[in-house]
Amino acid sequence: MSKEKILVIAVKMPDDNEHRFKSSLKELAALSDTAGGEVKEVVTQNRQHIHPAFYLGEGKINEIKRLVDELEIDLVISNDELSPGQLRNLNDRLETPIIDRSQLILDIFAKRAHTKEGQMQVELAQLEYMLPRLHGKGIELSRLGGGIGTRGPGETKLETDQRHIRRRIQDIKRRLKIVVKQRDQYRKRRRTNEAFQLAIVGYTNAGKSTLFNRLTESKSLEEDQLFATLDPLTRKIRLPSGFQALITDTVGFLQELPTTLIAAFRSTLEEVTEADFILHVVDASNPDNEQQQNTVIELLNELDAQNVPILTVYNKKDLLKRELIPMHYPYIFISAFNEDSLQELVEKIESLLKEEWDNFIIELKPSEGQLLNRLENETIINDKSFDENANRYIIKGYMQTNHPLQHILKE
Ligand SMILES: Nc1nc2c(ncn2[C@@H]2O[C@H](COP(=O)(O)OP(=O)(O)OP(=O)(O)O)[C@@H](O)[C@H]2O)c(=O)[nH]1
Ligand SMILES: [Mg+2]
């Protein structure tokens, strides 16, 4: 399939810092690529204000129109979210399909969603985005032919009739409620099983899935593309002491995620707040890593996850050309490709848990094998010996403060 030829338009305002502006354009190009397009040209304009009717100045529109014809552009994408009016006016003037950054991201999510729940969440976000933009000539005219921005989840074409959209939104909301309830029950069950939960979060393309796969020997989609992972995936992991936990790979974060998307994915994202420990994976080799770290932290705060302990994992250290000063503590530098790095990481996680947890010594009779087994799986054991005279196992280790086995220590 040939790539859609894309022209990007972007307004730089006086208080946009030059570096951030450039990196947002770079990100838009990467997003375009992920969606199956190719950016042929970028037109930028410095302005005091966004033009209320046209986004950029009217003079600029003529220049863009010329370029669109000359380069045979299939699709124009604006770097910022456009109002319904701006979208309509630009479409009229350019006579070319136009979408904004939000639609582009929604389109990628639509392509990437695989579970029923993910698909419903994305479609809901898309429909909520479209609804106010459908008066008179709207998106449906802009993108009659299909392509980036018109796709719903699972390659279906998005509904464009207002009445149908309203009905569809109600329908999805109802079905999502049921799914969320089921997941809540599953979550509660996991809670009562007291499985310790680690969550991997981070900016898109940081290397979360790579790390997840190496740590669990599983196959979460890892790709040099944005939003390779949409649906959270959970596996068992065993730390060096034998301690067993669950670890979850999650959807990557991004600057300026469309608000309808955050709302729709809220229940998925909120799983992070239920975690006992967060691994915040950062692509240390990315020049924008500082901004990316801030974006992730802001989103975590928005989700009310600030009380969960976080280890910042500076990944891709093999690509690091100059020294990077960590923004957060505790932290570790690793390369997810490197075995030794992974070993250091799991050891670091254990040592941080030990700092937080209560240490214990307990004597067990040889007949208490089942209890010993539980301790081995659910706590971090430092030392285990057998006292022949007393005919007792002596176990030394660390246990989570609210662990159900705490009571046996007090006896
Ligand atoms: N050089 C190098 N590349 C890495 C390392 N870890 C991951 N990568 C590469 O970085 C790219 C992104 O990795 P993923 O694991 O898919 O990233 P992700 O954070 O899961 O991305 P999303 O799911 O899109 O949010 C892939 O091409 C990986 O091979 C590393 O330590 N060193
Ligand atoms: Mg991933």
Side-chain angles (χ1 to χ4, degrees), residues 9-11 43-47 49-64 90 93:
I9 57 177
V11 168
V43 178
T44 66
Q45 186 176 42
N46 293 315
R47 291 184 64 85
H49 308 283
I50 298 280
H51 192 295
F54 290 101
Y55 179 55
L56 317 97
E58 288 206 65
K60 210 68 176 172
I61 307 284
N62 298 328
E63 181 193 329
I64 297 168
L90 281 169
R93 283 291 185 89

Side-chain angles (χ1 to χ4, degrees), residues 190-208:
R190 275 198 320 214
R191 275 272 79 118
T192 44
N193 290 345
E194 285 303 325
F196 189 86
Q197 313 250 353
L198 296 155
I200 302 182
V201 306
Y203 211 77
T204 182
N205 212 40
K208 299 178 294 298

